[in-house]
Amino acid sequence: MVRIRVLVVDDHRIFAESLAAALAAEPDVDVSAAGSGPAALRSLERAAAEGRRYDVLLVDADLGGNLPGVRPAVPVREVGEDGLVDGLSLVAGVRVSQPYVRIVVLAEKDDPRRAALALQAGASGWVAKDCSLSRLLTVVRGVLREETHLPPALLTGVLKELTAARKHRTESERLVESLTPREREVLRCMVAGLGRKAVAERLFLSPHTVRTHMQNVLGKLGVHSTLAAVALARRAGVGPADLGSVRRIRPEESAGTLHPASPA
């Protein structure tokens, strides 16, 4: 009998342990539980290293407490022992690092916008926490067959959200394409969370020049803050600058345009 390895990730201990116990009663399911994003990442990495990787991840949509649930997911990279990881960012991070793992989001209530974000982050399913065990098992087995599972009541709303997201992404890509290579490099530094002085040091520019570039970036993108610029850049697929390397841009490049950088 082929056994399905499931990892439940929920910071509500009683719920996580109860669900794990219910799933463990199934003859073809092996299940473990993790109480946080960092704990889940450690479990996944350890299991993969030992050759017994998980097949399905069940993630609490509200993982991380009061972290905003409607912001775009940012794949997690390195998280400290006590670091917070929200549910959607965990989904995105696992989808990048272990793409063979199928992910189902467990939610207290149906929310088309958050369900759409979960699918965009890499989830294969969205189910209510109060669904029956048989329904959950159907979803778990379904996602392993490459199926996508959503409650019927959410389908129309999710399709609208995904269509709107694609429209916004197209517009964001057009705006990013209007930037010069230097401005795009500055934008990637902004996405990486660097301030003006750090950007100046990285790109071998004066803080005044960096300020001018940042103002130009905001103007061309039609936004009024760094946070808004970063959000737009993320929608366009622009990733953060690789802080482990430094690239000098040749003067002749500064007048041209490039396609949006791939997420780093």
Side-chain angles (χ1 to χ4, degrees):
M1 177 187 299
V2 177
R3 301 185 68 82
I4 303 171
R5 301 204 70 230
V6 177
L7 179 62
V8 177
V9 187
D10 197 306
D11 46 17
H12 295 86
R13 182 177 177 181
I14 295 178
F15 175 84
E17 292 180 350
S18 298
L19 178 57
L23 290 171
E26 295 297 312
D28 62 340
V29 177
D30 288 330
V31 62
S32 300
S36 69
L41 293 172
R42 291 194 297 273
S43 294
L44 288 166
E45 292 170 359
R46 183 167 57 250
E50 295 174 354
R52 51 184 185 85
R53 67 190 191 188
Y54 286 98
D55 301 300
V56 178
L57 198 66
L58 301 179
V59 180
D60 176 21
D62 297 316
L63 185 71
N66 296 322
L67 293 181
V70 295
R71 63 184 177 81
V74 179
V76 292
R77 290 178 173 80
E78 297 179 1
V79 183
E81 183 75 20
D82 300 320
L84 287 175
V85 178
D86 67 280
L88 297 188
S89 290
L90 178 63
V91 171
V94 171
R95 194 61 181 153
V96 169
S97 63
Q98 300 194 29
Y100 49 80
V101 178
R102 295 295 171 259
I103 307 170
V104 176
V105 176
L106 306 175
E108 291 282 357
K109 61 181 180 179
D110 287 344
D111 184 330
R113 187 178 183 189
R114 295 187 71 193
L117 286 172
L119 294 182
Q120 289 176 308
S124 298
W126 175 284
V127 297
K129 279 190 171 184
D130 60 359
C131 74
S132 66
L133 181 61
S134 62
R135 168 60 182 163
L136 181 58
L137 287 168
T138 296
V139 173
V140 167
R141 295 188 172 105
V143 298
L144 288 175
R145 296 191 297 268
E146 304 298 329
E147 298 172 359
T148 299
H149 284 257
L150 287 171
L154 277 184
L155 287 177
T156 300
V158 168
L159 286 175
K160 287 181 178 178
E161 290 290 339
L162 292 176
T163 299
R166 180 58 210 171
K167 180 179 179 181
H168 289 318
R169 181 180 176 88
T170 301
E171 174 63 15
S172 299
E173 290 171 345
R174 185 187 67 78
L175 291 171
V176 169
E177 286 176 352
S178 71
L179 302 179
T180 66
R182 177 66 82 187
E183 290 165 350
R184 193 186 313 280
E185 192 73 6
V186 169
L187 178 60
R188 294 189 69 213
C189 290
M190 293 163 66
V191 173
L194 299 182
R196 189 189 311 166
K197 182 178 179 181
V199 174
E201 292 175 349
R202 173 184 166 77
L203 300 182
F204 306 102
L205 300 172
S206 71
H208 176 75
T209 299
V210 170
R211 179 182 180 183
T212 299
H213 282 311
M214 286 183 167
Q215 290 174 338
N216 290 341
V217 167
L218 297 184
K220 290 183 179 181
L221 298 185
V223 296
H224 301 288
S225 70
T226 297
L227 289 178
V230 169
L232 188 150
R234 286 288 190 181
R235 287 199 299 272
V238 177
D242 180 2
L243 301 184
S245 62
V246 175
R247 173 181 176 274
R248 292 177 182 269
I249 294 184
R250 298 187 300 273
E252 60 269 23
E253 290 184 307
S254 61
T257 58
L258 298 173
H259 293 294
S262 300

